[in-house]
Amino acid sequence: GAALRWLFRMLSSCSKVGDPRPGQPYKGGNFYAFLPDNREGQKTAMLLKKAFEHGLTFQIKSCNGEERATWGLIPHKTSWDGGKARNGYPDAQYLREVCTVL
């Protein structure tokens, strides 16, 4: 089937209150997520966009002494294939699960 591919671009910046080390610079990056291009996928995309606009998509984590932006608690499919074990499809429950989280 057709797929929607989303690019989330997190620019490098300084962390804020509530992050592990407030005021420290962190490294951003490009993050890709995939949804089916159907009615349910498009509805989910709108909810994910709102979550991103409210700062809920990413978190800052320390990794080898460097602060980095990483995915937060909202599950994203980062591959179109590979199944649930590889953050991909097929995963018949994903849209229901992510909408519950959102």
Side-chain angles (χ1 to χ4, degrees), residues 35-93:
L35 292 167
D37 190 5
N38 59 27
R39 186 179 177 133
E40 224 181 330
Q42 291 168 3
K43 175 186 163 193
T44 304
M46 289 175 58
L47 293 173
L48 289 172
K49 183 175 186 260
K50 285 184 181 183
F52 179 77
E53 290 168 350
H54 285 87
L56 302 173
T57 304
F58 295 98
Q59 59 189 352
I60 309 301
K61 284 190 177 177
S62 286
C63 182
N64 298 326
E66 180 180 61
E67 306 298 308
R68 303 182 75 87
T70 63
W71 290 112
L73 299 177
I74 300 168
H76 287 77
K77 290 297 182 185
T78 56
S79 174
W80 187 241
D81 55 20
K84 189 171 185 170
R86 302 181 97 195
N87 273 347
Y89 296 95
D91 182 352
Q93 303 303 312

Side-chain angles (χ1 to χ4, degrees), residues 6-10 27-33 58 69-71:
W6 287 79
L7 166 63
F8 296 94
R9 179 165 283 140
M10 282 292 293
K27 186 174 181 175
N30 293 332
F31 298 81
Y32 293 92
F58 295 98
T70 63
W71 290 112

Side-chain angles (χ1 to χ4, degrees), residues 4-37:
L4 296 171
R5 183 174 110 157
W6 287 79
L7 166 63
F8 296 94
R9 179 165 283 140
M10 282 292 293
L11 302 176
S12 297
S13 186
C14 286
S15 53
K16 59 188 183 311
V17 173
D19 289 327
R21 295 174 58 203
Q24 293 295 313
Y26 66 82
K27 186 174 181 175
N30 293 332
F31 298 81
Y32 293 92
F34 297 85
L35 292 167
D37 190 5

